[in-house]
Amino acid sequence: LLGTSITISSNHWMTAWTGLEINTLAIIPLISKSHHPRAVEAAIKYFLVQAAASAMVLFSSMTNAWQTGQWDITQLTHPTSCLLLTTAIAMKLGLVPFHFWFPEVLQGSSLLTSLLLSTLMKFPPITILFLTSHSLNPHLLALMVISSAALWGWMGLNRTQTRKILAVSSISHLGWMTIIILDNPQLTVLTFYVYSITTTAIFLTLNTTKTLNLSTLMTSWTKTPALNATLMLTLLSLAGLPPLAGFMPKWFIIQELTKQEMTPAALTMALLSLLGLFFYLRLAYYSTITLPPNPANHMKQWSINSPTSPTIATLASLSTLLLPLSPMILASI
């Protein structure tokens, strides 16, 4: 929280870099907390990637300061610095082609740590992206966005681990956030908020039912039938299906791209999102509709009698019912 607060409230490159470093060093003990070899491996991968990206942020700002004498975040004007910063933020966020670390790190972490990595840890880089949106390299950004949208659908098709599927989903949503950053940065922030609410609800639900893969998801309906039905709606919201809240940012982004006469980009993003719809529907199908194998020696999971957490109930309601408020939200941004 301290690192995030420092980064989002700073206007000097050194303080922003300090906040990013505090964030990185704070999350590493949480990743490696279980002392399992996979967790330690995930922590090392995360550290190496984030250290490289932070060094590139520092190098970009120093190059800009050397050429222009400016340390202000919003005054990044040197072309080489802009190119380096675009690459560094893409590494921090996990945009294609710098995405390989993200599914592996999430797979080695617990569900709650994965939730932090997918939401809170993405907030400082998104803020820097927002503040420097006028300085980013548009050609490199467009290439990374289209690659993210194209590859995430293929990457998610054969996944059976829920954390890896949600990691691929995160890469996809980053593509949607980044494509509109040059034309309407407020829409990027709105998309991030809606994505964070929906993903938090899904991770907390999976943590309640202790679901780590699809085979466990198939049998978890006996534990909490109502929670699993809510999970199905939240997953469909994350996929962007109307009339759920996840449809709102995609609708606004496609509308804005069309206004900016970028219809080919809007059409490409809409068509490529159909690939991801397949594995969202597969998750939703496994969570509620399909029945588990039922041989005589099959052990059913015991039902959980404790009431559902109010946090999950609130977040799931927000992630499914926000669409009617879209005129008010659009007017506020």
Side-chain angles (χ1 to χ4, degrees):
L1 286 172
L2 176 65
T4 303
S5 304
I6 289 172
T7 302
I8 65 176
S9 60
S10 61
N11 59 2
H12 193 283
W13 274 114
M14 288 305 288
T15 48
W17 174 80
T18 305
L20 291 172
E21 286 301 296
I22 292 172
N23 250 358
T24 302
L25 294 174
I27 199 74
I28 285 171
L30 290 176
I31 298 173
S32 59
K33 184 177 61 175
S34 65
H35 300 294
H36 190 275
R38 283 297 294 268
V40 176
E41 179 190 340
I44 292 170
K45 284 179 179 174
Y46 183 78
F47 172 73
L48 291 175
V49 172
Q50 296 298 314
S54 293
M56 207 173 285
V57 167
L58 199 58
F59 186 51
S60 163
S61 56
M62 285 176 67
T63 307
N64 187 69
W66 182 271
Q67 296 292 335
T68 64
Q70 286 286 347
W71 279 101
D72 195 300
I73 289 180
T74 56
Q75 301 298 321
L76 194 79
T77 52
H78 193 256
T80 309
S81 298
C82 295
L83 189 67
L84 282 170
L85 182 77
T86 309
T87 309
I89 297 297
M91 282 178 74
K92 279 210 163 284
L93 289 172
L95 276 171
V96 176
F98 309 106
H99 65 288
F100 294 103
W101 63 273
F102 193 54
E104 299 301 324
V105 169
L106 251 62
Q107 183 58 31
S109 311
S110 67
L111 281 165
L112 291 179
T113 309
S114 300
L115 166 62
L116 286 176
L117 286 168
S118 300
T119 53
L120 186 64
M121 299 302 291
K122 295 287 175 73
F123 192 41
I126 287 280
T127 308
I128 293 178
L129 205 66
F130 180 84
L131 291 172
T132 60
S133 57
H134 59 283
S135 307
L136 299 171
N137 187 297
H139 304 295
L140 182 59
L141 213 55
L143 180 65
M144 290 191 294
V145 165
I146 299 299
S147 304
S148 297
L151 283 180
W152 74 283
W154 299 109
M155 285 169 59
L157 291 180
N158 294 323
R159 304 284 185 188
T160 57
Q161 301 288 333
T162 51
R163 283 167 294 183
K164 282 194 174 180
I165 291 174
L166 289 169
V168 173
S169 158
S170 177
I171 294 168
S172 133
H173 281 84
L174 285 169
W176 281 91
M177 290 174 214
T178 315
I179 196 168
I180 202 66
I181 189 77
L182 298 176
D183 301 307
N184 194 336
Q186 285 79 12
L187 270 185
T188 298
V189 179
L190 172 68
T191 310
F192 179 73
Y193 288 156
V194 174
Y195 162 75
S196 297
I197 290 170
T198 313
T199 305
T200 305
I202 291 171
F203 268 115
L204 291 178
T205 305
L206 294 177
N207 188 55
T208 304
T209 56
K210 300 291 182 285
T211 303
L212 296 176
N213 51 45
L214 293 184
S215 59
T216 318
L217 188 63
M218 287 169 66
T219 57
S220 66
W221 67 273
T222 54
K223 279 184 175 183
T224 49
L227 195 58
N228 266 42
T230 312
L231 175 64
M232 181 184 74
L233 286 174
T234 317
L235 283 165
L236 293 177
S237 175
L238 194 63
L241 285 181
L244 303 170
F247 174 64
M248 178 175 56
K250 293 187 177 180
W251 170 29
F252 288 167
I253 288 171
I254 289 174
Q255 187 179 4
E256 185 66 28
L257 288 173
T258 312
K259 279 182 189 173
Q260 301 291 340
E261 297 183 354
M262 295 171 67
T263 312
L267 182 64
T268 306
M269 292 296 289
L271 289 175
L272 290 173
S273 67
L274 292 175
L275 275 173
L277 187 60
F278 168 77
F279 63 79
Y280 284 124
L281 286 173
R282 185 175 63 161
L283 273 174
Y285 180 77
Y286 281 171
S287 66
T288 308
I289 302 167
T290 189
L291 287 173
N294 247 338
N297 61 355
H298 177 69
M299 187 73 74
K300 281 195 183 300
Q301 299 191 49
W302 287 96
S303 177
I304 299 174
N305 291 323
S306 59
T308 303
S309 159
T311 309
I312 298 178
T314 307
L315 289 170
S317 302
L318 285 173
S319 61
T320 51
L321 302 173
L322 273 179
L323 189 63
L325 297 177
S326 52
M328 184 183 75
I329 294 169
L330 191 59
S332 67
I333 63 171

